[in-house]
Amino acid sequence: MDSIVSELEGVLLKNPNPFCYFMLLAFEASGVVRFALLLLVWPIIRFLEFLGREEYGLKLTIFVATIGVKISEIESVSRAVLPKFYFDDINMEAWRMFSLYDKKVVVTKIPKIMVERFVKVHLRCDEVVGSELVISKYGFASGLIKDDFDKIKDGIIELFGNQKPSLGLGRSKCGSSFLSLCKEQLQPPFLRSKNQNQQQQQIIINPLPVIFHDGRLVIRPTPFLALIILLWIPLGIIIATIRILIGLIFPIWSIPYLTPLFGGKVIVKGNPPLPPSSSAITSTNPGVLFVCTHRTLMDPVVLSTILQRKIPTVTYSISRLTEVLSPIPTVRLTRVRNVDARKIKCQLEKGDLIMCPEGTTCREPFLLRFSALFAELTNSIVPVAMNYRVGFFHGTTARGWKAMDPIFFLMNPRPIYEVTFLNKLSEDATCSSGKSPHDVANYVQRILGETLGFECTNFTRKDKYRILAGNDGILLTKNSNTNYGIKKLINTFINVLFSKSFKGGSPNFVNVDQFPHKSDETQKHSDEYVEMGCRSVEFEAIEEPGIGSLTKLREGARFMGSFGRCSMFLGVEIKGNFVTHLSYELREIYMWNHIAKVSHENIAICNFLPFSTIVM
């Protein structure tokens, strides 16, 4: 098997100096103070490099950037933030050569934890040999590395044993110690002949693109740009405050005229629809639903500003502070399909509405899967393609405090929005012509992607948050009684739902013999919510097994309500003395081995915390 060992810095990555990546780590994991401190010691690091003591300079960089930082925070930044900046710095000539080999190993002096995910996922590397951080027993980085950088060569020997790697890619200036272990050695630049170009062009495999990434900084913070960012932050806070006050104080029709005075710019393409008359809007003739791509939380605000009227927008994961600062009305969704459908229909009967069916923002030129819910509720649909450009700060986050999203966006020197209005969907393109909601949603996604030059994907909100934050993006209200509440929820859940288990047969059916009361008349029902990732449950209807279960279920439901939206939704519908309908949205785990015992009294919806908190 052909094998290759390549250095990361200066070979697979164009930039030989990893200082900017430690600046990113300092800013995202600790904040502005450590970011500024690392910039202050940069002259010392450069002086050490000038004296030929590059390794001492790198050790100092690692120490300042990581000491006292939770290892979980370093892992989080390495998973969600750094891959985007690594990807933009890939040396494609080195990658083409690297990708041709069966076994691929990357060597780096950067702590392994900072690069391992990127090189294994995006560069399809098999192994990573690098330095290791010393971690305290409390889970904090000490700022030190376990072994000297010279031990990297021993790692290669241990990995390959008596065999030699077929090719080694490294920098001659740094005297990469592992190159002597390889049968062949190459140093950048990597020049290819015409025959090699033709052969490699046929079998080239591009690095896996970064679709989701997090972090506040837009640009790679070199020492010069980092200084500019630090100097701009105080002024940016003042400008953001002024921009927010303008949106809250002045009438919405005047904002387009005031925005350019404070550095903002909005580019409008297409023909915005005229506002409907209030008398023309009825239940049979609802308002227009503006279906938008979702780039930042400012999308609905910018759209309302262009249309010069306050159009409500549906929201889910924005903070209460953002709702307070919003100059337009917001309608908070619950992620419970029937409830949300009623809310959206109610708003459309009152007038126009803005909706982003992706369910979350995406920074890269990709569109996430569109929920088909909007296509079921109305045929009056106007697609709107929205995009933005900023210089310093991203206005979205998956890991950080969402209340700061609009503030960071407005702190940019010159935020630019591009809004393109497409024609209203004809009846042939809506569900009124017999098309399925999924076909309509996919069509809207496709035409918006073509307008923006974006690629349509099948990724969802859940995929984004699992990659960036390690969760499903479900908001829970934090309070002092959280630990007690979770324990109480688990106990209630186990008592109510886990009191009867399945014995044999398909796990999707309830064995009615387990219940104290059995009816001769049984019904089977199923429900599918494809676009929300729900799974169907089929069951035999049962009679009311006891009031005790109802009391516990009610008690749990009341307490669960204080947590807001949760990741498992259990819907129960009652007809007479029989359970006739049960549906649930599966998010955290993929098995359901128990069913609730419920009373004949009408219980609509009960929300439960993620099942990952329950050890089964």
Side-chain angles (χ1 to χ4, degrees), residues 74-106:
I74 299 176
E75 290 175 345
S76 178
V77 173
S78 303
R79 177 184 66 244
V81 180
L82 296 181
K84 165 62 177 174
F85 294 93
Y86 290 144
F87 187 86
D88 291 341
D89 197 33
I90 291 177
N91 182 347
M92 290 305 297
E93 293 299 323
W95 159 252
R96 290 187 181 98
M97 193 170 298
F98 184 76
S99 63
L100 296 176
Y101 288 79
D102 298 320
K103 184 175 182 179
K104 297 179 279 289
V105 179
V106 168

PDB file of all heavy atoms in Angstrom, residues 74-106:
ATOM      1  N   ILE A  74     -11.663  24.272  23.732  1.00  0.00           N
ATOM      2  CA  ILE A  74     -10.690  24.110  22.647  1.00  0.00           C
ATOM      3  C   ILE A  74     -11.219  23.127  21.604  1.00  0.00           C
ATOM      4  O   ILE A  74     -11.106  23.364  20.389  1.00  0.00           O
ATOM      5  CB  ILE A  74      -9.332  23.645  23.196  1.00  0.00           C
ATOM      6  CG1 ILE A  74      -8.762  24.697  24.168  1.00  0.00           C
ATOM      7  CG2 ILE A  74      -8.342  23.386  22.067  1.00  0.00           C
ATOM      8  CD1 ILE A  74      -7.473  24.274  24.841  1.00  0.00           C
ATOM      9  N   GLU A  75     -11.811  22.036  22.059  1.00  0.00           N
ATOM     10  CA  GLU A  75     -12.401  21.058  21.140  1.00  0.00           C
ATOM     11  C   GLU A  75     -13.534  21.682  20.344  1.00  0.00           C
ATOM     12  O   GLU A  75     -13.676  21.439  19.136  1.00  0.00           O
ATOM     13  CB  GLU A  75     -12.910  19.851  21.924  1.00  0.00           C
ATOM     14  CG  GLU A  75     -11.812  18.984  22.522  1.00  0.00           C
ATOM     15  CD  GLU A  75     -12.369  17.871  23.390  1.00  0.00           C
ATOM     16  OE1 GLU A  75     -13.569  17.952  23.741  1.00  0.00           O
ATOM     17  OE2 GLU A  75     -11.624  16.935  23.708  1.00  0.00           O
ATOM     18  N   SER A  76     -14.345  22.495  21.005  1.00  0.00           N
ATOM     19  CA  SER A  76     -15.482  23.124  20.339  1.00  0.00           C
ATOM     20  C   SER A  76     -15.024  24.078  19.244  1.00  0.00           C
ATOM     21  O   SER A  76     -15.556  24.073  18.129  1.00  0.00           O
ATOM     22  CB  SER A  76     -16.341  23.862  21.364  1.00  0.00           C
ATOM     23  OG  SER A  76     -17.422  24.513  20.745  1.00  0.00           O
ATOM     24  N   VAL A  77     -14.038  24.911  19.548  1.00  0.00           N
ATOM     25  CA  VAL A  77     -13.511  25.845  18.549  1.00  0.00           C
ATOM     26  C   VAL A  77     -12.852  25.082  17.401  1.00  0.00           C
ATOM     27  O   VAL A  77     -12.993  25.453  16.226  1.00  0.00           O
ATOM     28  CB  VAL A  77     -12.512  26.823  19.199  1.00  0.00           C
ATOM     29  CG1 VAL A  77     -11.828  27.693  18.142  1.00  0.00           C
ATOM     30  CG2 VAL A  77     -13.219  27.703  20.222  1.00  0.00           C
ATOM     31  N   SER A  78     -12.148  24.017  17.730  1.00  0.00           N
ATOM     32  CA  SER A  78     -11.482  23.218  16.699  1.00  0.00           C
ATOM     33  C   SER A  78     -12.485  22.519  15.796  1.00  0.00           C
ATOM     34  O   SER A  78     -12.195  22.272  14.626  1.00  0.00           O
ATOM     35  CB  SER A  78     -10.567  22.178  17.359  1.00  0.00           C
ATOM     36  OG  SER A  78      -9.619  22.801  18.214  1.00  0.00           O
ATOM     37  N   ARG A  79     -13.655  22.213  16.321  1.00  0.00           N
ATOM     38  CA  ARG A  79     -14.685  21.548  15.532  1.00  0.00           C
ATOM     39  C   ARG A  79     -15.492  22.534  14.701  1.00  0.00           C
ATOM     40  O   ARG A  79     -15.806  22.265  13.536  1.00  0.00           O
ATOM     41  CB  ARG A  79     -15.624  20.785  16.458  1.00  0.00           C
ATOM     42  CG  ARG A  79     -16.792  20.106  15.747  1.00  0.00           C
ATOM     43  CD  ARG A  79     -17.755  19.441  16.716  1.00  0.00           C
ATOM     44  NE  ARG A  79     -18.433  20.417  17.557  1.00  0.00           N
ATOM     45  CZ  ARG A  79     -18.316  20.495  18.870  1.00  0.00           C
ATOM     46  NH1 ARG A  79     -17.526  19.668  19.513  1.00  0.00           N
ATOM     47  NH2 ARG A  79     -18.973  21.408  19.561  1.00  0.00           N
ATOM     48  N   ALA A  80     -15.819  23.703  15.272  1.00  0.00           N
ATOM     49  CA  ALA A  80     -16.794  24.593  14.650  1.00  0.00           C
ATOM     50  C   ALA A  80     -16.197  25.802  13.949  1.00  0.00           C
ATOM     51  O   ALA A  80     -16.806  26.334  13.016  1.00  0.00           O
ATOM     52  CB  ALA A  80     -17.794  25.069  15.707  1.00  0.00           C
ATOM     53  N   VAL A  81     -15.034  26.261  14.359  1.00  0.00           N
ATOM     54  CA  VAL A  81     -14.490  27.528  13.857  1.00  0.00           C
ATOM     55  C   VAL A  81     -13.293  27.332  12.937  1.00  0.00           C
ATOM     56  O   VAL A  81     -13.277  27.838  11.800  1.00  0.00           O
ATOM     57  CB  VAL A  81     -14.097  28.447  15.036  1.00  0.00           C
ATOM     58  CG1 VAL A  81     -13.523  29.756  14.521  1.00  0.00           C
ATOM     59  CG2 VAL A  81     -15.294  28.696  15.945  1.00  0.00           C
ATOM     60  N   LEU A  82     -12.283  26.617  13.401  1.00  0.00           N
ATOM     61  CA  LEU A  82     -11.022  26.534  12.671  1.00  0.00           C
ATOM     62  C   LEU A  82     -11.108  25.858  11.305  1.00  0.00           C
ATOM     63  O   LEU A  82     -10.382  26.271  10.379  1.00  0.00           O
ATOM     64  CB  LEU A  82      -9.973  25.825  13.542  1.00  0.00           C
ATOM     65  CG  LEU A  82      -9.579  26.543  14.833  1.00  0.00           C
ATOM     66  CD1 LEU A  82      -8.522  25.740  15.581  1.00  0.00           C
ATOM     67  CD2 LEU A  82      -9.064  27.946  14.536  1.00  0.00           C
ATOM     68  N   PRO A  83     -11.945  24.817  11.089  1.00  0.00           N
ATOM     69  CA  PRO A  83     -11.956  24.164   9.782  1.00  0.00           C
ATOM     70  C   PRO A  83     -12.199  25.103   8.608  1.00  0.00           C
ATOM     71  O   PRO A  83     -11.621  24.924   7.537  1.00  0.00           O
ATOM     72  CB  PRO A  83     -13.087  23.129   9.919  1.00  0.00           C
ATOM     73  CG  PRO A  83     -13.078  22.774  11.359  1.00  0.00           C
ATOM     74  CD  PRO A  83     -12.772  24.068  12.062  1.00  0.00           C
ATOM     75  N   LYS A  84     -13.031  26.106   8.774  1.00  0.00           N
ATOM     76  CA  LYS A  84     -13.292  27.051   7.684  1.00  0.00           C
ATOM     77  C   LYS A  84     -12.020  27.795   7.287  1.00  0.00           C
ATOM     78  O   LYS A  84     -11.715  27.953   6.091  1.00  0.00           O
ATOM     79  CB  LYS A  84     -14.375  28.034   8.133  1.00  0.00           C
ATOM     80  CG  LYS A  84     -14.511  29.276   7.264  1.00  0.00           C
ATOM     81  CD  LYS A  84     -14.908  28.941   5.846  1.00  0.00           C
ATOM     82  CE  LYS A  84     -15.092  30.226   5.029  1.00  0.00           C
ATOM     83  NZ  LYS A  84     -15.337  29.921   3.599  1.00  0.00           N
ATOM     84  N   PHE A  85     -11.250  28.241   8.257  1.00  0.00           N
ATOM     85  CA  PHE A  85     -10.031  28.991   7.960  1.00  0.00           C
ATOM     86  C   PHE A  85      -8.928  28.075   7.436  1.00  0.00           C
ATOM     87  O   PHE A  85      -8.148  28.481   6.574  1.00  0.00           O
ATOM     88  CB  PHE A  85      -9.571  29.732   9.218  1.00  0.00           C
ATOM     89  CG  PHE A  85     -10.526  30.810   9.644  1.00  0.00           C
ATOM     90  CD1 PHE A  85     -11.536  30.543  10.568  1.00  0.00           C
ATOM     91  CD2 PHE A  85     -10.430  32.088   9.123  1.00  0.00           C
ATOM     92  CE1 PHE A  85     -12.422  31.525  10.955  1.00  0.00           C
ATOM     93  CE2 PHE A  85     -11.316  33.081   9.507  1.00  0.00           C
ATOM     94  CZ  PHE A  85     -12.310  32.801  10.417  1.00  0.00           C
ATOM     95  N   TYR A  86      -8.865  26.854   7.939  1.00  0.00           N
ATOM     96  CA  TYR A  86      -7.936  25.876   7.368  1.00  0.00           C
ATOM     97  C   TYR A  86      -8.276  25.612   5.905  1.00  0.00           C
ATOM     98  O   TYR A  86      -7.403  25.577   5.036  1.00  0.00           O
ATOM     99  CB  TYR A  86      -8.004  24.542   8.143  1.00  0.00           C
ATOM    100  CG  TYR A  86      -7.440  24.567   9.540  1.00  0.00           C
ATOM    101  CD1 TYR A  86      -8.034  23.827  10.558  1.00  0.00           C
ATOM    102  CD2 TYR A  86      -6.300  25.291   9.847  1.00  0.00           C
ATOM    103  CE1 TYR A  86      -7.519  23.819  11.841  1.00  0.00           C
ATOM    104  CE2 TYR A  86      -5.781  25.292  11.137  1.00  0.00           C
ATOM    105  CZ  TYR A  86      -6.397  24.557  12.133  1.00  0.00           C
ATOM    106  OH  TYR A  86      -5.885  24.546  13.401  1.00  0.00           O
ATOM    107  N   PHE A  87      -9.560  25.412   5.642  1.00  0.00           N
ATOM    108  CA  PHE A  87      -9.997  25.060   4.288  1.00  0.00           C
ATOM    109  C   PHE A  87      -9.649  26.158   3.293  1.00  0.00           C
ATOM    110  O   PHE A  87      -9.224  25.871   2.162  1.00  0.00           O
ATOM    111  CB  PHE A  87     -11.503  24.792   4.292  1.00  0.00           C
ATOM    112  CG  PHE A  87     -12.023  24.253   2.990  1.00  0.00           C
ATOM    113  CD1 PHE A  87     -11.998  22.891   2.736  1.00  0.00           C
ATOM    114  CD2 PHE A  87     -12.540  25.104   2.024  1.00  0.00           C
ATOM    115  CE1 PHE A  87     -12.462  22.390   1.537  1.00  0.00           C
ATOM    116  CE2 PHE A  87     -13.009  24.614   0.825  1.00  0.00           C
ATOM    117  CZ  PHE A  87     -12.975  23.245   0.577  1.00  0.00           C
ATOM    118  N   ASP A  88      -9.851  27.399   3.682  1.00  0.00           N
ATOM    119  CA  ASP A  88      -9.546  28.515   2.787  1.00  0.00           C
ATOM    120  C   ASP A  88      -8.045  28.652   2.520  1.00  0.00           C
ATOM    121  O   ASP A  88      -7.651  29.357   1.585  1.00  0.00           O
ATOM    122  CB  ASP A  88     -10.070  29.829   3.376  1.00  0.00           C
ATOM    123  CG  ASP A  88     -11.590  29.884   3.373  1.00  0.00           C
ATOM    124  OD1 ASP A  88     -12.212  29.111   2.622  1.00  0.00           O
ATOM    125  OD2 ASP A  88     -12.159  30.699   4.133  1.00  0.00           O
ATOM    126  N   ASP A  89      -7.232  27.989   3.327  1.00  0.00           N
ATOM    127  CA  ASP A  89      -5.773  28.113   3.208  1.00  0.00           C
ATOM    128  C   ASP A  89      -5.135  26.864   2.589  1.00  0.00           C
ATOM    129  O   ASP A  89      -3.915  26.734   2.584  1.00  0.00           O
ATOM    130  CB  ASP A  89      -5.179  28.369   4.605  1.00  0.00           C
ATOM    131  CG  ASP A  89      -3.754  28.910   4.525  1.00  0.00           C
ATOM    132  OD1 ASP A  89      -3.449  29.642   3.572  1.00  0.00           O
ATOM    133  OD2 ASP A  89      -2.956  28.579   5.411  1.00  0.00           O
ATOM    134  N   ILE A  90      -5.946  25.941   2.057  1.00  0.00           N
ATOM    135  CA  ILE A  90      -5.400  24.695   1.505  1.00  0.00           C
ATOM    136  C   ILE A  90      -4.546  24.975   0.270  1.00  0.00           C
ATOM    137  O   ILE A  90      -4.935  25.744  -0.619  1.00  0.00           O
ATOM    138  CB  ILE A  90      -6.542  23.714   1.144  1.00  0.00           C
ATOM    139  CG1 ILE A  90      -7.228  23.198   2.407  1.00  0.00           C
ATOM    140  CG2 ILE A  90      -6.002  22.535   0.339  1.00  0.00           C
ATOM    141  CD1 ILE A  90      -8.400  22.277   2.128  1.00  0.00           C
ATOM    142  N   ASN A  91      -3.379  24.354   0.232  1.00  0.00           N
ATOM    143  CA  ASN A  91      -2.516  24.393  -0.948  1.00  0.00           C
ATOM    144  C   ASN A  91      -2.965  23.265  -1.883  1.00  0.00           C
ATOM    145  O   ASN A  91      -2.688  22.097  -1.638  1.00  0.00           O
ATOM    146  CB  ASN A  91      -1.054  24.201  -0.530  1.00  0.00           C
ATOM    147  CG  ASN A  91      -0.101  24.291  -1.699  1.00  0.00           C
ATOM    148  OD1 ASN A  91      -0.493  24.257  -2.867  1.00  0.00           O
ATOM    149  ND2 ASN A  91       1.193  24.393  -1.407  1.00  0.00           N
ATOM    150  N   MET A  92      -3.681  23.612  -2.946  1.00  0.00           N
ATOM    151  CA  MET A  92      -4.287  22.602  -3.807  1.00  0.00           C
ATOM    152  C   MET A  92      -3.249  21.756  -4.533  1.00  0.00           C
ATOM    153  O   MET A  92      -3.499  20.579  -4.827  1.00  0.00           O
ATOM    154  CB  MET A  92      -5.216  23.263  -4.817  1.00  0.00           C
ATOM    155  CG  MET A  92      -6.478  23.844  -4.196  1.00  0.00           C
ATOM    156  SD  MET A  92      -7.425  22.635  -3.217  1.00  0.00           S
ATOM    157  CE  MET A  92      -7.862  21.451  -4.479  1.00  0.00           C
ATOM    158  N   GLU A  93      -2.076  22.308  -4.823  1.00  0.00           N
ATOM    159  CA  GLU A  93      -1.030  21.507  -5.471  1.00  0.00           C
ATOM    160  C   GLU A  93      -0.566  20.387  -4.543  1.00  0.00           C
ATOM    161  O   GLU A  93      -0.396  19.239  -4.961  1.00  0.00           O
ATOM    162  CB  GLU A  93       0.144  22.406  -5.856  1.00  0.00           C
ATOM    163  CG  GLU A  93      -0.167  23.417  -6.950  1.00  0.00           C
ATOM    164  CD  GLU A  93      -0.564  22.734  -8.243  1.00  0.00           C
ATOM    165  OE1 GLU A  93       0.014  21.680  -8.567  1.00  0.00           O
ATOM    166  OE2 GLU A  93      -1.481  23.233  -8.917  1.00  0.00           O
ATOM    167  N   ALA A  94      -0.356  20.721  -3.275  1.00  0.00           N
ATOM    168  CA  ALA A  94       0.044  19.694  -2.306  1.00  0.00           C
ATOM    169  C   ALA A  94      -1.100  18.712  -2.070  1.00  0.00           C
ATOM    170  O   ALA A  94      -0.864  17.503  -1.925  1.00  0.00           O
ATOM    171  CB  ALA A  94       0.469  20.349  -0.998  1.00  0.00           C
ATOM    172  N   TRP A  95      -2.331  19.220  -2.041  1.00  0.00           N
ATOM    173  CA  TRP A  95      -3.468  18.335  -1.801  1.00  0.00           C
ATOM    174  C   TRP A  95      -3.626  17.310  -2.921  1.00  0.00           C
ATOM    175  O   TRP A  95      -3.930  16.145  -2.680  1.00  0.00           O
ATOM    176  CB  TRP A  95      -4.741  19.157  -1.650  1.00  0.00           C
ATOM    177  CG  TRP A  95      -5.990  18.354  -1.904  1.00  0.00           C
ATOM    178  CD1 TRP A  95      -6.818  18.435  -2.974  1.00  0.00           C
ATOM    179  CD2 TRP A  95      -6.520  17.310  -1.080  1.00  0.00           C
ATOM    180  NE1 TRP A  95      -7.832  17.518  -2.881  1.00  0.00           N
ATOM    181  CE2 TRP A  95      -7.667  16.812  -1.724  1.00  0.00           C
ATOM    182  CE3 TRP A  95      -6.131  16.743   0.143  1.00  0.00           C
ATOM    183  CZ2 TRP A  95      -8.433  15.786  -1.191  1.00  0.00           C
ATOM    184  CZ3 TRP A  95      -6.890  15.719   0.673  1.00  0.00           C
ATOM    185  CH2 TRP A  95      -8.019  15.251   0.015  1.00  0.00           C
ATOM    186  N   ARG A  96      -3.459  17.748  -4.174  1.00  0.00           N
ATOM    187  CA  ARG A  96      -3.600  16.819  -5.299  1.00  0.00           C
ATOM    188  C   ARG A  96      -2.621  15.658  -5.168  1.00  0.00           C
ATOM    189  O   ARG A  96      -2.965  14.506  -5.443  1.00  0.00           O
ATOM    190  CB  ARG A  96      -3.398  17.565  -6.616  1.00  0.00           C
ATOM    191  CG  ARG A  96      -4.530  18.521  -6.972  1.00  0.00           C
ATOM    192  CD  ARG A  96      -4.352  19.090  -8.370  1.00  0.00           C
ATOM    193  NE  ARG A  96      -5.425  20.014  -8.696  1.00  0.00           N
ATOM    194  CZ  ARG A  96      -5.340  21.328  -8.590  1.00  0.00           C
ATOM    195  NH1 ARG A  96      -4.202  21.865  -8.161  1.00  0.00           N
ATOM    196  NH2 ARG A  96      -6.355  22.099  -8.899  1.00  0.00           N
ATOM    197  N   MET A  97      -1.416  15.967  -4.758  1.00  0.00           N
ATOM    198  CA  MET A  97      -0.420  14.915  -4.592  1.00  0.00           C
ATOM    199  C   MET A  97      -0.744  14.060  -3.365  1.00  0.00           C
ATOM    200  O   MET A  97      -0.621  12.834  -3.387  1.00  0.00           O
ATOM    201  CB  MET A  97       0.961  15.562  -4.442  1.00  0.00           C
ATOM    202  CG  MET A  97       2.129  14.605  -4.577  1.00  0.00           C
ATOM    203  SD  MET A  97       3.679  15.513  -4.679  1.00  0.00           S
ATOM    204  CE  MET A  97       3.441  16.453  -6.180  1.00  0.00           C
ATOM    205  N   PHE A  98      -1.180  14.695  -2.307  1.00  0.00           N
ATOM    206  CA  PHE A  98      -1.498  14.006  -1.056  1.00  0.00           C
ATOM    207  C   PHE A  98      -2.666  13.035  -1.241  1.00  0.00           C
ATOM    208  O   PHE A  98      -2.680  11.938  -0.673  1.00  0.00           O
ATOM    209  CB  PHE A  98      -1.833  15.063   0.008  1.00  0.00           C
ATOM    210  CG  PHE A  98      -2.091  14.524   1.379  1.00  0.00           C
ATOM    211  CD1 PHE A  98      -1.053  14.101   2.191  1.00  0.00           C
ATOM    212  CD2 PHE A  98      -3.389  14.451   1.877  1.00  0.00           C
ATOM    213  CE1 PHE A  98      -1.290  13.616   3.467  1.00  0.00           C
ATOM    214  CE2 PHE A  98      -3.642  13.973   3.153  1.00  0.00           C
ATOM    215  CZ  PHE A  98      -2.587  13.548   3.948  1.00  0.00           C
ATOM    216  N   SER A  99      -3.673  13.431  -2.038  1.00  0.00           N
ATOM    217  CA  SER A  99      -4.898  12.638  -2.176  1.00  0.00           C
ATOM    218  C   SER A  99      -4.712  11.384  -3.016  1.00  0.00           C
ATOM    219  O   SER A  99      -5.593  10.519  -3.020  1.00  0.00           O
ATOM    220  CB  SER A  99      -6.002  13.504  -2.797  1.00  0.00           C
ATOM    221  OG  SER A  99      -5.637  13.918  -4.110  1.00  0.00           O
ATOM    222  N   LEU A 100      -3.586  11.246  -3.727  1.00  0.00           N
ATOM    223  CA  LEU A 100      -3.374  10.105  -4.607  1.00  0.00           C
ATOM    224  C   LEU A 100      -2.987   8.836  -3.856  1.00  0.00           C
ATOM    225  O   LEU A 100      -3.077   7.741  -4.417  1.00  0.00           O
ATOM    226  CB  LEU A 100      -2.301  10.430  -5.646  1.00  0.00           C
ATOM    227  CG  LEU A 100      -2.627  11.552  -6.642  1.00  0.00           C
ATOM    228  CD1 LEU A 100      -1.438  11.828  -7.531  1.00  0.00           C
ATOM    229  CD2 LEU A 100      -3.846  11.188  -7.480  1.00  0.00           C
ATOM    230  N   TYR A 101      -2.586   8.965  -2.605  1.00  0.00           N
ATOM    231  CA  TYR A 101      -2.035   7.819  -1.876  1.00  0.00           C
ATOM    232  C   TYR A 101      -3.112   7.138  -1.028  1.00  0.00           C
ATOM    233  O   TYR A 101      -4.099   7.761  -0.621  1.00  0.00           O
ATOM    234  CB  TYR A 101      -0.855   8.259  -1.007  1.00  0.00           C
ATOM    235  CG  TYR A 101       0.374   8.587  -1.831  1.00  0.00           C
ATOM    236  CD1 TYR A 101       0.491   9.798  -2.506  1.00  0.00           C
ATOM    237  CD2 TYR A 101       1.418   7.671  -1.949  1.00  0.00           C
ATOM    238  CE1 TYR A 101       1.608  10.099  -3.269  1.00  0.00           C
ATOM    239  CE2 TYR A 101       2.540   7.958  -2.717  1.00  0.00           C
ATOM    240  CZ  TYR A 101       2.626   9.169  -3.371  1.00  0.00           C
ATOM    241  OH  TYR A 101       3.734   9.456  -4.138  1.00  0.00           O
ATOM    242  N   ASP A 102      -2.875   5.856  -0.763  1.00  0.00           N
ATOM    243  CA  ASP A 102      -3.848   5.062  -0.008  1.00  0.00           C
ATOM    244  C   ASP A 102      -3.840   5.418   1.479  1.00  0.00           C
ATOM    245  O   ASP A 102      -4.884   5.649   2.079  1.00  0.00           O
ATOM    246  CB  ASP A 102      -3.554   3.564  -0.179  1.00  0.00           C
ATOM    247  CG  ASP A 102      -3.666   3.131  -1.628  1.00  0.00           C
ATOM    248  OD1 ASP A 102      -4.589   3.607  -2.309  1.00  0.00           O
ATOM    249  OD2 ASP A 102      -2.819   2.332  -2.090  1.00  0.00           O
ATOM    250  N   LYS A 103      -2.651   5.425   2.069  1.00  0.00           N
ATOM    251  CA  LYS A 103      -2.523   5.759   3.482  1.00  0.00           C
ATOM    252  C   LYS A 103      -1.932   7.147   3.607  1.00  0.00           C
ATOM    253  O   LYS A 103      -0.853   7.428   3.080  1.00  0.00           O
ATOM    254  CB  LYS A 103      -1.639   4.741   4.201  1.00  0.00           C
ATOM    255  CG  LYS A 103      -1.536   4.985   5.706  1.00  0.00           C
ATOM    256  CD  LYS A 103      -0.739   3.891   6.403  1.00  0.00           C
ATOM    257  CE  LYS A 103      -0.684   4.128   7.905  1.00  0.00           C
ATOM    258  NZ  LYS A 103       0.067   3.056   8.611  1.00  0.00           N
ATOM    259  N   LYS A 104      -2.641   8.017   4.304  1.00  0.00           N
ATOM    260  CA  LYS A 104      -2.245   9.415   4.400  1.00  0.00           C
ATOM    261  C   LYS A 104      -2.051   9.798   5.870  1.00  0.00           C
ATOM    262  O   LYS A 104      -2.934   9.566   6.692  1.00  0.00           O
ATOM    263  CB  LYS A 104      -3.296  10.321   3.752  1.00  0.00           C
ATOM    264  CG  LYS A 104      -3.469  10.066   2.258  1.00  0.00           C
ATOM    265  CD  LYS A 104      -4.515  10.952   1.638  1.00  0.00           C
ATOM    266  CE  LYS A 104      -5.913  10.432   1.871  1.00  0.00           C
ATOM    267  NZ  LYS A 104      -6.188   9.208   1.090  1.00  0.00           N
ATOM    268  N   VAL A 105      -0.883  10.387   6.159  1.00  0.00           N
ATOM    269  CA  VAL A 105      -0.542  10.812   7.517  1.00  0.00           C
ATOM    270  C   VAL A 105      -0.142  12.276   7.484  1.00  0.00           C
ATOM    271  O   VAL A 105       0.603  12.708   6.595  1.00  0.00           O
ATOM    272  CB  VAL A 105       0.608   9.958   8.098  1.00  0.00           C
ATOM    273  CG1 VAL A 105       0.971  10.438   9.507  1.00  0.00           C
ATOM    274  CG2 VAL A 105       0.225   8.481   8.127  1.00  0.00           C
ATOM    275  N   VAL A 106      -0.646  13.047   8.436  1.00  0.00           N
ATOM    276  CA  VAL A 106      -0.317  14.471   8.545  1.00  0.00           C
ATOM    277  C   VAL A 106       0.527  14.691   9.788  1.00  0.00           C
ATOM    278  O   VAL A 106       0.232  14.166  10.862  1.00  0.00           O
ATOM    279  CB  VAL A 106      -1.596  15.330   8.604  1.00  0.00           C
ATOM    280  CG1 VAL A 106      -1.264  16.764   9.012  1.00  0.00           C
ATOM    281  CG2 VAL A 106      -2.304  15.325   7.257  1.00  0.00           C
TER     282      VAL A 106
END
